[in-house]
Amino acid sequence: MVSVAILGAAGGIGQPLSLLLKLNANVSKLHLYDIVNVPGVAADISHISTNAEVKSFLGAGQLNDAVTGIDLAIIPAGVPRKPGMTRDDLFKINAGIVKTLVEAIALNSPKAFIAVISNPVNSTAPIAAEVLKSKGVFDARRLFGVTSLDVVRASRFVRDLRPDVDAAALRVPVVGGHSGNTIVPLLSLASTPISLSPEETKDLTHRIQFGGDEVVKAKDGAGSATLSMAYAGARFADSLLRAMKGESVVEPTFIALAADPEGAKEFRELGAGSLEFFAVPVELGPEGVKRIVPLGAQPSAFELDAIKVATEALATNIATGVTYVKGV
């Protein structure tokens, strides 16, 4: 019996994410929370012929009930990115939303896994950590910034260049963070070797880093990446749910490196330095982070330079999140 709460379930990411989780056979209870429109979303999804029981929770007065007795909380709540906005521009709005939601989780389900989708993840995941620390319930193994969309894009965009590659099977490690040049796809270490020229590597890396801009521009003010993000979020949630049952699953995710100090050493030496958070390949288990998975080879010189750039930006992003909680 696994209970999952989706916080922000009536939004552009939340609705398709709720649908995908309703289809997941490992979910027995699905709590859908939002401040508007969620009863209709829940009623609609509840008619789907899977075994998961769906309940809706509307508004701040029902937030505590929404996150009571849950095993996994997924947080896509917040405003979407619009043309001209960076993920940092979202911070002023989404920071407060994430803080409020995590406070409720800490109070009512302190051992739940928390998967943060709300942008900017480089700052909202540290916000979640600081809230949990302030409540005395922080466990670095159980908090995740969801970076799966970067991994999904990397696989798909490689196929755009190399149509003989199976995008569904290809795995490209993506490290660093989850915005712009903090996203570092390690194309040289892909699960299937890919022959790319230096120019192709540069262009492909940039496209993976700024793939979200393609969607924002194409939607022409009507939103950001919602469907692909919902897919990526559901994939990460499925990995967590399978890991809860004892299956060994590896996913890149933005975590507090304290979850596995020994495994973090490789990434600190590659350029992460003293950062508290960094996206790394993680083997998931019943308690969350089982270990940080070694890369198995040295990244290219181009990728090492990209890690240095990412680290500088991440230091600021992480500090912004930490300061927000400590200063409120």
Side-chain angles (χ1 to χ4, degrees):
M1 300 289 286
V2 176
S3 297
V4 177
I6 299 178
L7 309 180
I13 297 171
Q15 289 198 38
L17 179 61
S18 298
L19 170 63
L20 292 170
L21 267 293
K22 179 67 167 77
L23 298 175
N24 192 306
N26 289 320
V27 177
S28 54
K29 292 184 179 180
L30 189 60
H31 288 191
L32 304 184
Y33 171 82
D34 214 316
I35 58 173
V36 293
N37 301 331
V38 76
V41 174
D44 197 354
I45 289 175
S46 72
H47 292 185
I48 294 170
S49 57
T50 61
N51 293 334
E53 176 187 352
V54 180
K55 291 184 178 180
S56 73
F57 300 85
L58 179 65
Q62 295 186 6
L63 175 57
N64 284 331
D65 290 339
V67 295
T68 295
I70 59 169
D71 303 294
L72 168 62
I74 309 173
I75 306 178
V79 298
R81 192 154 60 105
K82 298 178 181 179
M85 290 180 70
T86 66
R87 285 179 172 83
D88 289 338
D89 293 330
L90 299 178
F91 179 80
K92 294 176 183 177
I93 300 171
N94 290 354
I97 294 171
V98 171
K99 180 176 180 290
T100 297
L101 297 175
V102 176
E103 285 173 342
I105 297 166
L107 177 65
N108 297 284
S109 291
K111 293 188 176 181
F113 292 158
I114 301 175
V116 180
I117 292 174
S118 306
N119 276 317
V121 167
N122 294 352
S123 299
T124 53
I127 284 174
E130 291 303 314
V131 169
L132 295 168
K133 289 175 186 177
S134 72
K135 304 299 182 182
V137 294
F138 177 62
D139 183 343
R141 300 171 301 169
R142 293 176 174 267
L143 174 64
F144 308 91
V146 179
T147 59
S148 302
L149 183 53
D150 305 324
V151 181
V152 168
R153 283 181 174 143
S155 298
R156 177 59 239 186
F157 294 172
V158 167
R159 181 175 168 82
D160 288 346
L161 283 179
R162 299 289 185 269
D164 57 326
V165 170
D166 181 355
L170 182 68
R171 291 292 183 268
V172 177
V174 182
V175 302
H178 183 58
S179 68
N181 60 11
T182 70
I183 300 167
V184 184
L186 303 180
L187 294 162
S188 70
L189 302 182
S191 58
T192 300
I194 310 161
S195 178
L196 297 169
S197 70
E199 193 64 25
E200 285 176 322
T201 298
K202 181 180 177 182
D203 291 347
L204 182 55
T205 296
H206 185 273
R207 189 181 179 206
I208 294 165
Q209 291 176 327
F210 296 94
D213 293 348
E214 292 183 21
V215 181
V216 171
K217 183 178 179 181
K219 289 190 174 182
D220 195 22
S224 56
T226 53
L227 301 176
S228 54
M229 184 62 249
Y231 165 76
R235 184 175 111 167
F236 184 74
D238 180 64
S239 294
L240 278 175
L241 294 169
R242 287 157 51 205
M244 286 181 195
K245 298 173 65 177
E247 184 177 340
S248 175
V249 188
V250 175
E251 287 280 356
T253 176
F254 188 66
I255 62 165
L257 295 179
D260 178 10
E262 188 63 30
K265 288 180 179 178
E266 175 185 16
F267 294 89
R268 294 196 184 283
E269 291 169 0
L270 288 174
S274 61
L275 290 180
E276 182 182 357
F277 280 83
F278 206 70
V280 291
V282 169
E283 180 182 358
L284 301 168
E287 299 301 318
V289 176
K290 187 173 182 179
R291 66 180 180 118
I292 295 173
V293 178
L295 292 176
Q298 182 81 350
S300 69
F302 173 82
E303 291 161 352
L304 289 172
D305 286 342
I307 289 174
K308 291 178 183 177
V309 172
T311 297
E312 292 180 9
L314 279 168
T316 300
N317 297 160
I318 294 166
T320 298
V322 171
T323 302
Y324 175 81
V325 176
K326 291 186 174 180
V328 171

